[in-house]
Amino acid sequence: MISAAVQLAPVDTPARARDGGIIALGLLTLYVALAQGTFYKVDGQALIELSTNGWVHHPYHHFYLGELWLLRGACEPLGLGIYRTACLLSALGTAAGVLLIHCATRVVGLGRAACNLAALAFGLSPGVMFFASIVEVHGPFLPFAGVAALAIAWCGKTLHWRAAVVAGLSLTLAYLAHPSGALMGALLPSLAWSAANGARPGPQPLRWRAL
């Protein structure tokens, strides 16, 4: 019976993996096109000032300034200023987060159409689109959040101690990227439980709760 249930689970194919890449690339193009020409409040200005003065570490958002420094090194020879580079960093980070969320839904066991819908709903939500188009830390935070969601789903799928260690480490990295990453621990029960039960035949409403 167990083998029959596993066979009924959605099969992860190269086509499904390509879907995530196409969605992420399309949304990246949209985010870059929507890049704002001015700052939102004062955080973006402070981040630009710190980066201009040579800072590569922030006391609360530990990876942002280092990521911006690396991207500046690639973009400055192309004539891209620091403000546009920071906007590009937000767009790239958000698109990467969308791709990882798509991967997490595949691990949970959603079908192809549901995975695509979940990724699009996430990537096109107003809050995500807003932070993808401005200078802020939230866009570059999303890859860390996506890795954490993927690791939690994998932990629920495998029920192995190594997966649990990876999930814990990924949650720590998400917290270091942005303090709100600490809240991702609340995903553990629903997302891990849904992934663990993803191979069962029939309706799986808890998979949708995980989204």
Side-chain angles (χ1 to χ4, degrees):
M1 181 175 293
I2 294 176
S3 61
V6 171
Q7 289 174 2
L8 288 171
V11 178
D12 200 18
T13 63
R16 296 181 71 201
R18 278 197 304 271
D19 288 345
I22 292 171
I23 290 171
L25 185 59
L27 288 176
L28 173 61
T29 303
L30 177 63
Y31 298 152
V32 171
L34 293 176
Q36 302 298 300
T38 186
F39 289 104
Y40 170 68
K41 295 188 176 180
V42 299
D43 287 348
Q45 299 177 54
L47 292 168
I48 292 293
E49 182 180 5
L50 289 173
S51 183
T52 302
N53 290 333
W55 288 55
V56 293
H57 178 260
H58 191 282
Y60 306 117
H61 315 297
H62 294 272
F63 307 120
Y64 180 86
L65 291 175
E67 291 173 331
L68 182 57
W69 178 77
L70 289 173
L71 192 58
R72 285 179 65 190
C75 292
E76 283 180 352
L78 303 176
L80 204 63
I82 185 171
Y83 177 84
R84 288 299 173 189
T85 301
C87 286
L88 179 60
L89 177 60
S90 293
L92 287 169
T94 305
V98 171
L99 177 60
L100 288 161
I101 291 298
H102 188 273
C103 293
T105 60
R106 284 157 47 202
V107 171
V108 166
L110 292 180
R112 182 176 181 181
C115 289
N116 294 343
L117 178 61
L120 286 169
F122 175 75
L124 293 173
S125 61
V128 170
M129 290 187 65
F130 176 72
F131 284 110
S133 63
I134 64 171
V135 178
E136 255 287 5
V137 298
H138 302 84
F141 159 69
L142 286 180
F144 297 94
V147 167
L150 180 59
I152 293 169
W154 180 51
C155 180
K157 197 78 170 179
T158 61
L159 298 178
H160 195 282
W161 69 267
R162 290 190 181 90
V165 170
V166 172
L169 290 173
S170 67
L171 286 169
T172 301
L173 290 174
Y175 169 74
L176 292 174
H178 193 284
S180 63
L183 301 176
M184 290 198 66
L187 288 176
L188 277 167
S190 62
L191 189 54
W193 202 98
S194 299
N197 289 272
R200 294 183 180 178
Q204 295 292 328
L206 280 177
R207 294 185 197 170
W208 293 100
R209 184 185 302 177
L211 296 179

